[in-house]
Amino acid sequence: MQRWLDGCERLLTLVAALATFAMMLLTTADAAGRYLLNRPILAAYELTTNYLMVAVVFLAMPYAYRQGANIRVTFLVDRLGRRARLAVDHVVQIISIVYCAALVFATGQQARHVLGTQTTFATLDLPLWPAHVVVCIGLFFTSLMLLIDLGQVRRGRSSLFTAE
């Protein structure tokens, strides 16, 4: 299971990096077309904000989690003893799993709604539902990683609590 999840993480990270590169190219081409040729790219802003930026942020979430790039306020927990800190770490990990799973459910419902209403861009007839599915996929894999890491909390190896 861990090898499969690692492979999925690598694929999602690669897609996020490609989306970043595409966003750079599209933004540069749009700026060049706008200022040099007085012809901007139609829907460049919508493509960037609704597809590419969403892919960059949410598909990179599993990688960011694995690297320990989480916001933590540890000045209270650092003063606790080993047992109390372990209990707090377990509670935080479980709350994170539940919260992320709730977000997966909510974004899945939103994707289903957007697909059902056939919502499209304002300037082009492109559907918006793929962006919502991308959010759901990124959150799903992050939830899965959080769940698998629950067993690592006792050993202090959970990515949620790794020191930078």
Side-chain angles (χ1 to χ4, degrees):
M1 177 72 167
Q2 188 65 40
R3 287 182 52 200
W4 177 79
L5 196 57
D6 290 344
C8 289
E9 176 195 341
R10 280 192 294 278
L11 178 65
L12 293 177
T13 304
L14 176 65
V15 173
L18 290 173
T20 303
F21 185 69
M23 193 167 41
M24 289 181 348
L25 289 178
L26 182 61
T27 303
T28 303
D30 184 47
R34 181 178 310 273
Y35 295 112
L36 298 177
L37 306 173
N38 202 24
R39 300 207 40 117
I41 297 175
L42 182 65
Y45 179 74
E46 284 185 311
L47 285 170
T48 300
T49 57
N50 291 323
Y51 279 144
L52 298 174
M53 189 136 344
V54 168
V56 168
V57 170
F58 287 97
L59 295 182
M61 276 182 68
Y63 177 78
Y65 170 74
R66 179 87 63 184
Q67 297 303 313
N70 309 301
I71 298 171
R72 294 179 298 276
V73 180
T74 60
F75 65 91
L76 290 176
V77 179
D78 288 343
R79 290 167 174 69
L80 295 176
R82 166 103 171 107
R83 296 187 86 173
R85 182 178 181 142
L86 191 59
V88 169
D89 286 351
H90 275 90
V91 168
V92 168
Q93 187 86 12
I94 291 168
I95 289 171
S96 299
I97 292 166
V98 170
Y99 184 69
C100 206
L103 288 175
V104 170
F105 178 76
T107 57
Q109 292 293 97
Q110 183 66 24
R112 189 176 62 79
H113 172 72
V114 170
L115 178 60
T117 59
Q118 298 179 346
T119 308
T120 61
F121 286 173
T123 55
L124 290 176
D125 194 27
L126 288 175
L128 280 176
W129 66 265
H132 292 275
V133 171
V134 165
V135 172
C136 196
I137 289 169
L139 288 169
F140 173 76
F141 279 101
T142 304
S143 297
L144 208 53
M145 294 174 101
L146 282 161
L147 185 62
I148 289 173
D149 265 2
L150 184 59
Q152 301 294 327
V153 173
R154 181 175 282 296
R155 294 183 208 98
R157 292 189 202 145
S158 171
S159 296
L160 194 59
F161 307 110
T162 21
E164 297 173 26

